[in-house]
Amino acid sequence: MAPCTYVTRLRRLLGRDLIQTAAARGGYQLDVPLDDFDLHRFRELMRRSRDGAGHDEELRLLRAALALWRGRPFTGVESVWLDREIIPRLDEEWFAATERRIDLELDAGPPDRLVAELRGLADGHPTRESLWHRLIVALHRSGRRAEALDAYTRIRTTLREGFGIDPGAELQHLHRSILQEPAATPTAEGPRPRQLPHDIARFSGRKAELAELDRLCGTDQSPTAIVALDGAPGTGKTTLAVHWAHRVAERYPDAQLYLNLNGYGPGEPVTPAAALATLLRGLWVAGDLIPPGVEERAALLRTTLAGRRVLLVLDNARDADQVRALLPGSGGLVIVTSRSQLRGLSIRDGAHRVTLHRLSAGESAGLLSAAIPADRLAAEPGAAARLIELCAGLPLALAIVAERAHRAGSLAEVVHALQDEKARLDNFGAGEGDPHTDLRAALSWSYQALGPDAAAMLDRLGRHPAGTIGLESAAALADRPPAEAKRALDQLVAAHMVQQPRPDRYELHDLIRLYAAERPGDEAATTRLLEWYLHTAVSADTTLMPNRLRDFLVPYMPRTAPRTFADQAAAMAWFEEEYDGLRAVVVWAAAHGRPGYAWRIAIAMTTFLDRRIPWRDGVEFIEAAVRAAELAEERAGVGYTRNSLGCILLDRRDFARAEDCFARALVRFRSMGNRYGEAMALGNLGLTRISVGDPAYGRELCRAAQEMCERDGYRRGVALNLDNLGMANVALGEYDRAVECHRRAAELFHELGETEIGAWNEQNLGRAYAAAGRYAESVRSLRLAAATLSRLGHLRQEANLLVDLGDTLLAAGHPKMARGCWRTALEAMRELSDPRVPALEAAIAGV
């Protein structure tokens, strides 16, 4: 066949512009821009990372470069030249980038986050000393000295038995330094949190209470000292707690933690489970390591704090039960504030109770004089006395009044404003001396003093169901660009109406939130907020799973462009930051007549839940979404939420409940003619039948689902069901057919850019090879899948894969290597409270 005929065909396949005529040489040339090659893009990002980028920018560039890798280069291409000359060099470039990225992450955050990844890399490359060096460093910095020494022993044994050599000088030096230094103390495990809010520079009053607090905790104590500050709203419990905490903070150098328990305010109080998770994250415990149950989390908190001098401020507690699980075991100070007297905490747990009453006239005058110049008070003594009287001894009201006085022409003007507002508030005239009524008058005045943008923003913030409010969600509430919203929020912070615990995150004092919630309603603002959470969650999930069909959004389509994400790391970071807010929004929407938003937001979070959230928490979350969908009487919602719940139950091997969920979802989808949903539920139902030992029927169901997807042109669904069919064929002993199914699925996943699901299919291909006795091919597929899942941070699936790899290595006659894989998997499974831990421990012991 003539060359021009080949060129014509290639142009038809690749596009005419890519193949140009090289007139000078009488031939043809392939003209592809360098930016279209992943390798060139990778090398350019690497060059930029080396050219003087700061720590954070270098880490971002390295992550972006590594995200371009999709396993071993030239997979499926048989070439001795590539295997000997090209691929090794490319592998070294990947290792250089990966090891530099790990070095930066070791310097930036908790080292224990990297242990599982480094174990997997070291086990996969048992002679690469640089990986073992980093693993040993991570273990040692995590306080796991014995494991670090054991890792050195493993690499030394491998090198001696395999090559007759010892580790290099760098590894030997690291080993000697660990042996020669004292054992790490608990306080050296990671950064020491300093979470106390800022102290009041001009704190005034409460001398008797401060003296009592100093007397209660004047000496070092080995048991945990608990102090409960209780009193009416607005009496300054939080201010006093924070002020005293700063006074005694130097006695507790290892950790200073603060948590608002939202015991009194809109929405539900923070549950002990959620509070424990927040405290553990504040102590640098990774989310994947936090167990599901309250008792397990409480035990982990006590273990993490053991041996440390810890100061813990638990603000706005509802009752003793909310606090009890959060208490350290010994050696710390816990300060609890509450409107309740917390008698149970005093009787059962030995808490010292200190009750805050309203300030005396003298203390109120002292507080006012600390904020207003003395000459102004002396010039208007009658007005100053009236201000004190109107504020009824409430520190928060006095602080608001003092701030207003700075901007008013006279104190009499402030008095007049307060008296005018008093007439407009319910029960204020009959409630003289009641902290609630006087404070509401002050708040009403403060609200009127705000500029129009700030006042409108406060109105909207009262409708936000979450305890902590991000800038973007506040902007959505106010229907303003983020820059304008930030200016309004800054005015509220300056007026002490909003607190700003960290950049672009805001909180309302519970009483101010109550006042803001009483302002005239704005249903449009609530709708904007729900839309923002829904469509930003969908945008983040699309970044994680780009080809998933999302017809569940109909008719909730975005009216403004949601936030977009540069990469998977950014999407996961947003989910982590907003998880508490998303959860609060789902609960609120389901309870306030917006169940359609509730279940759709939950469905948009399923990828994140699968990667980061323990199974038990995920089941509870999706069960709430099921109830919301049923409340909304939306068949599609019931179908999607039941299907998602079934997927989690299937992973947990709760096959009976999973099958029931998929069957119910199938009925809903069929009743409304939703062919995509029907195919999805049908394929999952088939996978369940395969898992319970009925592979023949399971294969029929998966084949039916595949054919539906083929008829509808849904290629992702075709690939998913080819993967399912491969598993069915393995269960039926038809290994060649299984391999063929997985290979066809791999081609589709690659074309679609489905990295994560493609890795799952590659894992199943490895299982098929192992079942057929083709162990070398199995190991290759499993390691390829492991590398992908490790980059994605999918700890649970990576652990499952390492179990498979260990099984294959054992069957191939490599028990030591199998144990190494299983041990790495076991560590991850323990962190996730996986129910399969005992079986894996038994397998390790039996080899």
Side-chain angles (χ1 to χ4, degrees), residues 233-234 339 396 436 439 443 508-516:
R339 298 181 195 178
L396 179 58
H436 268 279
L439 181 58
L443 288 173
L508 271 71
H509 185 283
D510 54 357
L511 294 175
I512 298 176
R513 183 191 293 277
L514 178 62
Y515 175 80

Side-chain angles (χ1 to χ4, degrees), residues 400-586:
I400 294 172
V401 166
E403 194 278 332
R404 175 69 176 87
H406 281 291
R407 296 182 284 108
S410 66
L411 297 184
E413 180 183 331
V414 180
V415 171
H416 179 72
L418 283 176
Q419 288 173 329
D420 287 346
E421 293 296 337
K422 177 183 68 170
R424 295 170 53 193
L425 292 176
D426 297 338
N427 301 319
F428 182 73
E432 290 287 350
D434 187 316
H436 268 279
T437 56
D438 284 350
L439 181 58
R440 289 178 64 203
L443 288 173
S444 180
W445 157 83
S446 187
Y447 177 87
Q448 294 296 333
L450 295 171
D453 289 342
M457 176 62 77
L458 186 64
D459 286 347
R460 306 301 189 269
L461 294 181
R463 308 188 70 78
H464 199 299
T468 302
I469 303 167
L471 172 61
E472 289 179 301
S473 62
L477 265 173
D479 196 21
R480 292 287 184 270
E484 293 183 18
K486 184 173 179 60
R487 285 194 290 271
L489 288 163
D490 288 343
Q491 294 175 39
L492 292 173
V493 171
H496 303 291
M497 301 293 282
V498 169
Q499 298 172 345
Q500 187 176 9
R502 57 186 186 277
D504 293 341
R505 305 296 295 183
Y506 302 89
E507 293 179 353
L508 271 71
H509 185 283
D510 54 357
L511 294 175
I512 298 176
R513 183 191 293 277
L514 178 62
Y515 175 80
E518 292 176 350
R519 301 296 303 169
D522 183 356
E523 289 301 312
T526 302
T527 300
R528 287 193 302 270
L529 178 70
L530 295 173
E531 284 184 346
W532 181 83
Y533 271 112
L534 171 59
H535 295 297
T536 304
V538 169
S539 176
D541 187 64
T542 301
T543 305
L544 302 177
M545 288 284 186
N547 294 292
R548 171 181 287 163
L549 284 182
R550 294 177 172 85
D551 58 351
F552 64 85
L553 285 174
V554 177
Y556 290 66
M557 306 310 292
R559 286 178 282 187
T560 57
R563 175 177 174 177
T564 58
F565 300 90
D567 50 37
Q568 292 204 15
M572 290 298 292
W574 181 83
F575 272 127
E576 292 277 9
E577 177 75 16
E578 291 289 347
Y579 177 60
D580 290 338
L582 285 161
R583 184 173 54 187
V585 165
V586 168

Side-chain angles (χ1 to χ4, degrees), residues 231-506:
T235 49
K237 300 179 294 295
T238 298
T239 300
L240 177 60
V242 171
H243 177 70
W244 186 55
H246 279 283
R247 283 178 46 157
V248 299
E250 64 181 13
R251 305 182 194 175
Y252 305 94
D254 299 330
Q256 297 159 19
L257 303 169
Y258 172 85
L259 180 61
N260 184 350
L261 296 174
N262 197 36
Y264 294 87
E268 294 297 318
V270 177
T271 65
L276 285 163
T278 300
L279 291 173
L280 288 167
R281 285 195 293 267
L283 291 163
W284 296 94
V285 177
D288 289 339
L289 310 185
I290 298 174
V294 172
E295 293 300 326
E296 295 93 332
R297 290 180 179 183
L300 178 58
L301 178 66
R302 291 193 295 271
T303 300
T304 305
L305 296 178
R308 301 190 186 189
R309 298 291 293 170
V310 179
L311 172 60
L312 175 58
V313 179
L314 300 174
D315 195 16
N316 194 12
R318 182 64 172 266
D319 52 36
D321 289 338
Q322 190 185 21
V323 171
R324 191 164 286 119
L326 315 181
L327 301 176
S330 63
L333 170 62
V334 180
I335 307 172
V336 186
T337 73
S338 178
R339 298 181 195 178
S340 168
Q341 292 183 339
L342 299 181
R343 293 177 179 177
L345 202 66
S346 176
I347 296 170
R348 176 175 168 181
D349 301 283
H352 303 287
R353 282 186 53 214
V354 177
T355 299
L356 299 190
H357 302 286
R358 293 195 300 272
L359 296 175
S360 66
E363 288 179 315
S364 295
L367 193 155
L368 207 59
S369 63
I372 299 176
D375 57 341
R376 292 193 64 188
L377 293 174
E380 299 181 82
R386 180 59 178 152
L387 284 180
I388 293 170
E389 181 183 352
L390 287 171
C391 290
L394 294 177
L396 179 58
L398 286 162
I400 294 172
V401 166
E403 194 278 332
R404 175 69 176 87
H406 281 291
R407 296 182 284 108
S410 66
L411 297 184
E413 180 183 331
V414 180
V415 171
H416 179 72
L418 283 176
Q419 288 173 329
D420 287 346
E421 293 296 337
K422 177 183 68 170
R424 295 170 53 193
L425 292 176
D426 297 338
N427 301 319
F428 182 73
E432 290 287 350
D434 187 316
H436 268 279
T437 56
D438 284 350
L439 181 58
R440 289 178 64 203
L443 288 173
S444 180
W445 157 83
S446 187
Y447 177 87
Q448 294 296 333
L450 295 171
D453 289 342
M457 176 62 77
L458 186 64
D459 286 347
R460 306 301 189 269
L461 294 181
R463 308 188 70 78
H464 199 299
T468 302
I469 303 167
L471 172 61
E472 289 179 301
S473 62
L477 265 173
D479 196 21
R480 292 287 184 270
E484 293 183 18
K486 184 173 179 60
R487 285 194 290 271
L489 288 163
D490 288 343
Q491 294 175 39
L492 292 173
V493 171
H496 303 291
M497 301 293 282
V498 169
Q499 298 172 345
Q500 187 176 9
R502 57 186 186 277
D504 293 341
R505 305 296 295 183
Y506 302 89

Side-chain angles (χ1 to χ4, degrees), residues 730 735 738-739 742 762-782 803-812:
V730 168
Y735 304 128
V739 168
H742 289 306
E762 194 70 31
Q763 177 181 359
N764 291 327
L765 175 59
R767 289 173 173 170
Y769 279 136
R774 297 162 65 176
Y775 300 124
E777 292 165 293
S778 174
V779 169
R780 183 174 59 192
S781 289
L782 293 173
V803 172
D804 290 342
L805 182 57
D807 293 343
T808 300
L809 290 169
L810 181 64

Side-chain angles (χ1 to χ4, degrees), residues 724-759:
N724 293 344
L725 286 170
M727 288 185 275
N729 288 325
V730 168
L732 291 166
E734 299 178 19
Y735 304 128
D736 290 341
R737 294 180 66 179
V739 168
E740 177 61 23
C741 286
H742 289 306
R743 283 178 171 174
R744 288 172 58 197
E747 292 174 2
L748 285 173
F749 285 133
H750 178 72
E751 292 171 9
L752 294 169
E754 288 282 3
T755 305
E756 180 175 342
I757 305 179

